[in-house]
mmCIF file of all heavy atoms in Angstrom:
data_model
loop_
_atom_site.group_PDB
_atom_site.id
_atom_site.type_symbol
_atom_site.label_atom_id
_atom_site.label_comp_id
_atom_site.label_asym_id
_atom_site.label_seq_id
_atom_site.Cartn_x
_atom_site.Cartn_y
_atom_site.Cartn_z
ATOM 1 N N LYS A 186 8.764 -13.908 -7.944
ATOM 2 C CA LYS A 186 8.363 -12.985 -8.986
ATOM 3 C C LYS A 186 7.531 -11.790 -8.497
ATOM 4 O O LYS A 186 7.162 -10.966 -9.290
ATOM 5 C CB LYS A 186 7.623 -13.732 -10.127
ATOM 6 C CG LYS A 186 8.519 -14.681 -10.938
ATOM 7 C CD LYS A 186 7.698 -15.291 -12.047
ATOM 8 C CE LYS A 186 8.582 -16.236 -12.791
ATOM 9 N NZ LYS A 186 7.949 -16.861 -13.935
ATOM 10 N N CYS A 187 7.203 -11.743 -7.255
ATOM 11 C CA CYS A 187 6.366 -10.801 -6.701
ATOM 12 C C CYS A 187 7.193 -9.555 -6.258
ATOM 13 O O CYS A 187 8.037 -9.666 -5.452
ATOM 14 C CB CYS A 187 5.604 -11.339 -5.468
ATOM 15 S SG CYS A 187 4.509 -10.104 -4.728
ATOM 16 N N ALA A 188 6.870 -8.384 -6.866
ATOM 17 C CA ALA A 188 7.574 -7.180 -6.598
ATOM 18 C C ALA A 188 7.449 -6.788 -5.047
ATOM 19 O O ALA A 188 8.437 -6.445 -4.376
ATOM 20 C CB ALA A 188 7.134 -6.012 -7.352
ATOM 21 N N PHE A 189 6.270 -6.959 -4.518
ATOM 22 C CA PHE A 189 6.035 -6.557 -3.112
ATOM 23 C C PHE A 189 6.782 -7.493 -2.205
ATOM 24 O O PHE A 189 7.263 -7.075 -1.138
ATOM 25 C CB PHE A 189 4.599 -6.604 -2.769
ATOM 26 C CG PHE A 189 3.799 -5.373 -3.341
ATOM 27 C CD1 PHE A 189 2.433 -5.312 -3.219
ATOM 28 C CD2 PHE A 189 4.401 -4.294 -3.880
ATOM 29 C CE1 PHE A 189 1.664 -4.237 -3.666
ATOM 30 C CE2 PHE A 189 3.660 -3.181 -4.433
ATOM 31 C CZ PHE A 189 2.357 -3.219 -4.321
ATOM 32 N N CYS A 190 6.911 -8.753 -2.571
ATOM 33 C CA CYS A 190 7.683 -9.655 -1.774
ATOM 34 C C CYS A 190 9.225 -9.205 -1.734
ATOM 35 O O CYS A 190 9.867 -9.185 -0.717
ATOM 36 C CB CYS A 190 7.634 -11.124 -2.211
ATOM 37 S SG CYS A 190 6.010 -11.855 -1.802
ATOM 38 N N ARG A 191 9.775 -8.880 -2.921
ATOM 39 C CA ARG A 191 11.113 -8.401 -2.997
ATOM 40 C C ARG A 191 11.333 -7.064 -2.189
ATOM 41 O O ARG A 191 12.244 -6.962 -1.527
ATOM 42 C CB ARG A 191 11.560 -8.243 -4.497
ATOM 43 C CG ARG A 191 11.677 -9.486 -5.224
ATOM 44 C CD ARG A 191 12.335 -9.306 -6.506
ATOM 45 N NE ARG A 191 11.735 -8.254 -7.337
ATOM 46 C CZ ARG A 191 10.829 -8.463 -8.286
ATOM 47 N NH1 ARG A 191 10.268 -9.650 -8.413
ATOM 48 N NH2 ARG A 191 10.452 -7.475 -8.961
ATOM 49 N N PHE A 192 10.375 -6.163 -2.344
ATOM 50 C CA PHE A 192 10.465 -4.982 -1.587
ATOM 51 C C PHE A 192 10.497 -5.141 -0.104
ATOM 52 O O PHE A 192 11.156 -4.510 0.702
ATOM 53 C CB PHE A 192 9.278 -3.951 -1.943
ATOM 54 C CG PHE A 192 9.202 -3.571 -3.445
ATOM 55 C CD1 PHE A 192 8.082 -3.006 -3.911
ATOM 56 C CD2 PHE A 192 10.317 -3.655 -4.170
ATOM 57 C CE1 PHE A 192 7.960 -2.620 -5.211
ATOM 58 C CE2 PHE A 192 10.276 -3.249 -5.581
ATOM 59 C CZ PHE A 192 9.122 -2.741 -6.024
ATOM 60 N N GLY A 193 9.596 -6.056 0.357
ATOM 61 C CA GLY A 193 9.510 -6.393 1.776
ATOM 62 C C GLY A 193 10.797 -6.894 2.447
ATOM 63 O O GLY A 193 11.052 -6.785 3.579
ATOM 64 N N LYS A 194 11.651 -7.500 1.586
ATOM 65 C CA LYS A 194 12.932 -8.118 1.993
ATOM 66 C C LYS A 194 14.079 -7.117 1.857
ATOM 67 O O LYS A 194 15.050 -7.172 2.533
ATOM 68 C CB LYS A 194 13.285 -9.378 1.171
ATOM 69 C CG LYS A 194 12.462 -10.543 1.589
ATOM 70 C CD LYS A 194 12.929 -11.773 0.956
ATOM 71 C CE LYS A 194 14.226 -12.293 1.445
ATOM 72 N NZ LYS A 194 14.213 -13.148 2.616
ATOM 73 N N ASP A 195 13.900 -6.136 0.952
ATOM 74 C CA ASP A 195 15.023 -5.193 0.751
ATOM 75 C C ASP A 195 14.435 -3.806 0.516
ATOM 76 O O ASP A 195 14.161 -3.473 -0.708
ATOM 77 C CB ASP A 195 15.916 -5.619 -0.457
ATOM 78 C CG ASP A 195 17.080 -4.717 -0.704
ATOM 79 O OD1 ASP A 195 17.290 -3.770 0.127
ATOM 80 O OD2 ASP A 195 17.850 -4.975 -1.588
ATOM 81 N N PHE A 196 14.267 -2.947 1.490
ATOM 82 C CA PHE A 196 13.724 -1.611 1.337
ATOM 83 C C PHE A 196 14.626 -0.639 0.516
ATOM 84 O O PHE A 196 14.157 0.413 -0.010
ATOM 85 C CB PHE A 196 13.415 -1.039 2.725
ATOM 86 C CG PHE A 196 12.404 -1.733 3.538
ATOM 87 C CD1 PHE A 196 12.658 -1.978 4.898
ATOM 88 C CD2 PHE A 196 11.266 -2.222 2.969
ATOM 89 C CE1 PHE A 196 11.713 -2.737 5.611
ATOM 90 C CE2 PHE A 196 10.321 -2.911 3.666
ATOM 91 C CZ PHE A 196 10.513 -3.114 4.947
#
Side-chain angles (χ1 to χ4, degrees):
K186 292 183 180 182
C187 176
F189 285 172
C190 287
R191 287 194 309 273
F192 298 161
K194 286 189 71 87
D195 184 0
F196 296 136

